[in-house]
Amino acid sequence: FEIHYKSNDAWYRVPYQAWFGFHDIAWTLPAYEAVHVKKNWQSMYGELPVGTYRIVMSVSGCGETEIHYLADEFEIMPSEG
């Protein structure tokens, strides 16, 4: 996955602060059902500042060679107190 940040209506990739491998080779996802994926990006990207972001993940079907990209936006808000 990658994290992108939004600035002036354009998306920019957040650079990695550390490189590491993934243990997740593949997931089997149920058809037509919502799936919630929990990711800890802090070890890869560090503490992200306040702003608008999106996470981008690549997916493909079993036996498919075509790759699709899924993205979901989120915001990091200032902490209170």
Side-chain angles (χ1 to χ4, degrees):
F1 67 92
E2 290 185 349
I3 302 290
H4 299 170
Y5 70 93
K6 191 173 189 178
S7 177
N8 297 323
D9 292 325
W11 290 102
Y12 301 92
R13 188 176 66 81
V14 176
Y16 299 124
Q17 291 189 356
W19 183 254
F20 61 92
F22 291 98
H23 294 286
D24 297 332
I25 296 170
W27 295 339
T28 302
L29 302 175
Y32 307 106
E33 292 184 29
V35 175
H36 297 272
V37 178
K38 190 173 186 175
K39 292 287 185 185
N40 179 355
W41 61 73
Q42 192 165 10
S43 60
M44 216 166 136
Y45 293 102
E47 188 78 24
L48 297 176
V50 170
T52 301
Y53 295 86
R54 69 180 177 188
I55 186 169
V56 181
M57 298 178 73
S58 60
V59 297
S60 64
C62 185
E64 288 185 11
T65 57
E66 186 176 359
I67 296 175
H68 306 275
Y69 294 92
L70 304 176
D72 195 18
E73 289 185 35
F74 62 95
E75 287 192 40
I76 296 181
M77 307 294 282
S79 59
E80 294 182 23

